[in-house]
Amino acid sequence: MLERQLSELTQLLLADDPKRGAQRALQVLAMRNNARVAALFTVASGDQQRLRLFASEALDQAALDVATQLFAAHRRALAAGEPARSGGAVPHELQAVMLPVRDEDDDMVGLVYLDSADPRFPEAIDLDGVRRFSGVLAAALAGNTERPAPVAPTNPESYLELTAPHEVRRHQLLLLLERHEWNVARVARAMGCARMTIYSWLARYGIERRRIRKTKPRIAPAD
């Protein structure tokens, strides 16, 4: 399965579509690791290095904030080839992992970011699988001729400009599902559509429906 996915992604790159190849690779990485967000960054050179977004899957403002903090706190470790995880110097409710993307000369050419709300995520992530996808991501970066847009983590409008409409809709759907305890009927009412529309979106965006224990209203003790 992994070899077939890598082969398909390589064909996209050979078709001179590095952006699409990177986007598809991030989608596969997110699905394989049950990640909420996947993103590929390059690092702008200069006196003050900063991240530049190249491609993303379901990117939101929280992910941009955590990615920027991870890079600032673990810059040297990432440059040395080590993964960085949230926690410690970067405490956050999201469980995030950032890994360097290296080219054939073993130079760091980018950073791949994955996160999840699952506290077990950092231990469950397939680091070897992510590293194998790094070759595809590095090839996408090498084949890109456009200058990536800079990330502005504190500006939600910049996120909307950098994010494809289907990613915005996917993130909106995930937020509403979490808010309504994955009750499809309630989400459909909130979005003003039929339940079958929600089911079709779940399939389109590759979202696996979760079954969670519903919260019960607290009953005040009798006097």
Side-chain angles (χ1 to χ4, degrees):
M1 180 66 174
L2 176 58
E3 297 300 331
R4 181 171 63 83
Q5 290 171 337
L6 289 170
S7 176
E8 291 174 353
L9 294 171
T10 302
Q11 290 301 315
L12 283 176
L13 297 176
L14 291 175
D16 196 25
D17 199 347
K19 280 275 189 179
R20 187 181 169 205
Q23 178 72 34
R24 180 57 182 149
L26 292 172
Q27 291 173 351
V28 174
L29 279 175
M31 293 178 64
R32 287 178 60 87
N33 292 281
N34 294 318
R36 187 189 70 96
V37 167
L40 175 63
F41 297 94
T42 60
V43 180
S45 59
D47 294 336
Q48 291 185 329
Q49 290 185 329
R50 59 174 180 160
L51 298 179
R52 290 183 182 273
L53 180 66
F54 180 79
S56 67
E57 169 65 14
L59 184 70
D60 59 10
Q61 191 62 49
L64 287 174
D65 291 341
V66 176
T68 303
Q69 294 168 23
L70 275 175
F71 177 63
H74 301 282
R75 189 175 304 176
R76 291 184 178 178
L78 289 165
E82 298 295 325
R85 296 177 173 85
S86 58
V90 187
H92 200 279
E93 60 183 9
L94 289 176
Q95 304 298 313
V97 177
M98 180 176 278
L99 295 95
V101 174
R102 310 184 83 84
D103 62 13
E104 294 180 351
D105 297 326
D106 204 31
D107 294 325
M108 187 177 77
V109 293
L111 296 162
V112 60
Y113 169 93
L114 300 166
D115 77 26
S116 171
D118 186 345
R120 299 166 297 178
F121 178 71
E123 289 73 34
I125 188 172
D126 178 14
L127 292 180
D128 289 336
V130 176
R131 290 189 179 100
R132 294 193 67 181
F133 274 86
S134 292
V136 173
L137 298 175
L141 292 174
N144 183 57
T145 57
E146 300 177 2
R147 183 178 180 183
V151 172
T154 59
N155 189 346
E157 288 75 15
S158 294
Y159 157 62
L160 293 175
E161 292 174 1
L162 293 168
T163 307
H166 77 275
E167 290 187 24
V168 176
R169 173 55 62 87
R170 184 179 189 275
H171 180 59
Q172 178 191 28
L173 180 59
L174 285 169
L175 286 176
L176 287 173
L177 286 166
E178 291 290 346
R179 184 177 300 169
H180 294 288
E181 300 178 317
W182 288 76
N183 185 305
V184 171
R186 286 160 54 186
V187 173
R189 286 195 295 271
M191 299 188 76
C193 62
R195 282 185 294 177
M196 290 307 299
T197 301
I198 301 299
Y199 288 124
S200 68
W201 285 344
L202 291 174
R204 181 188 306 173
Y205 301 137
I207 300 173
E208 184 177 353
R209 190 179 176 191
R210 290 172 50 193
R211 304 283 184 180
I212 63 174
R213 182 179 298 176
K214 304 298 186 294
T215 57
K216 297 180 178 179
R218 184 176 297 177
I219 301 176
D223 294 334

